[in-house]
Amino acid sequence: MARYAMAIDTKRCVGCNACSMACKMTNNLPDGTWWTRVLTEGGDEVDTPAGIFPEVSMRYVTVSCQHCDNPACVKVCPVGATYKDPETGVVRQDYDKCIGCRMCMAACPYTGVRSFNWEEPGYSIDHAVGDADIAAHQKHVVEKCTFCYQRLARGETPACMDLCPARARHFGDLDDPDSEVSQLVGERSYEQLLTSEGTKPSVYYLV
C-alpha cells in the first residue's frame, strides 16, 4: 500500500514545458491532447506575468490531474471507469469501461486536466512513440494524467519528473516518512489547488 504524491517546487520551475513534452511522448498522446499544462499567475496566455509594470512577477504553475485522495470524479462515474487504485492511491481511467458520459469531467473542479476523444485519436507520425505498455487510446473516452502508471508498475517514476531540467518535480510515497516528497511537504511551505472543494489533492506546490 502506498499514497503516491508529487511536490512541485515553484521557485525552481522555469516554465520550459519539458514536463508536458515528456508526458506527451511517453504516453503517446494524440494530436491536440495534453495531460500536463504550464500556466502562469498573470493570465491565460503563455508566459503572462502578474502585476503592472514595473512591479511584475512571473510564477509558473504546472497543472494536471491532482490524483485526489477524495476524488469527485470517482464518485460520479456510473460504470466504475474512473477509479482510485487501492495500492497506490493513483486515480486511473479504464478506457474499456468508459461510456463517454463525461460525468467525471463535469465533477472535477480542476478545469482542463481531462480530455475527451471525440474522434478516433490521430497522430502526426505514423508509428507509436513512448512506452510499449501503455493502454491504447480510444475514441469516445475520457483521458488524463496517470502519474505514468505503467512506469510505477516497473518501479520507475513519472516521465515528467525524470526529464525536468530544473529538478523542480519530486515524487514518492507520502506515507513513507523517508521519501523525498514526504520530507519536502513536511519541511517546506506549500499550496494546493482548490482545497475548498474537499478533494484533498495529492499534488503540492512548494512556495
Side-chain angles (χ1 to χ4, degrees):
M1 296 288 290
R3 185 161 60 105
Y4 285 119
M6 181 167 285
I8 303 173
D9 193 335
T10 60
K11 290 184 177 180
R12 296 188 64 90
C13 179
V14 296
C16 67
N17 281 284
C19 54
S20 301
M21 289 304 300
C23 170
K24 190 172 185 67
M25 294 299 292
T26 298
N27 294 288
N28 192 37
L29 299 187
D31 290 349
T33 299
W34 299 90
W35 287 353
T36 298
R37 297 171 297 139
V38 180
L39 307 180
T40 52
E41 294 184 325
D44 295 331
E45 300 300 324
V46 175
D47 294 335
T48 303
I52 300 176
F53 183 83
E55 302 297 327
V56 296
S57 63
M58 181 82 80
R59 189 173 83 123
Y60 296 99
V61 180
T62 54
V63 180
S64 61
C65 174
Q66 301 292 293
H67 294 280
C68 304
D69 197 33
N70 182 33
C73 55
V74 171
K75 297 176 182 178
V76 300
C77 181
V79 294
T82 300
Y83 66 100
K84 182 180 174 184
D85 181 67
E87 297 297 320
T88 63
V90 174
V91 178
R92 300 187 60 189
Q93 296 282 129
D94 187 330
Y95 300 155
D96 292 330
K97 287 184 177 181
C98 182
I99 59 174
C101 69
R102 306 188 298 284
M103 288 293 291
C104 58
M105 298 180 75
C108 177
Y110 306 103
T111 304
V113 302
R114 293 169 180 262
S115 59
F116 182 72
N117 294 331
W118 290 98
E119 303 295 339
E120 196 67 37
Y123 302 88
S124 298
I125 55 178
D126 57 4
H127 61 83
V129 299
D131 293 344
D133 51 353
I134 59 171
H137 301 284
Q138 302 177 28
K139 181 180 178 179
H140 291 167
V141 301
V142 176
E143 296 190 354
K144 67 173 194 65
C145 161
T146 65
F147 267 164
C148 286
Y149 192 84
Q150 74 281 4
R151 293 170 62 90
L152 299 185
R154 298 195 297 265
E156 301 173 2
T157 53
C160 61
M161 175 184 161
D162 281 356
L163 291 185
C164 177
R167 295 294 181 261
R169 303 172 80 88
H170 309 272
F171 184 82
D173 182 1
L174 203 59
D175 286 339
D176 177 4
D178 295 325
S179 72
E180 183 179 35
V181 69
S182 182
Q183 292 179 0
L184 283 170
V185 170
E187 297 169 357
R188 295 273 303 272
S189 297
Y190 62 82
E191 298 172 348
Q192 290 178 288
L193 301 181
L194 300 179
T195 55
S196 60
E197 296 293 328
T199 56
K200 299 180 181 178
S202 295
V203 178
Y204 296 77
Y205 295 91
L206 306 177
V207 296

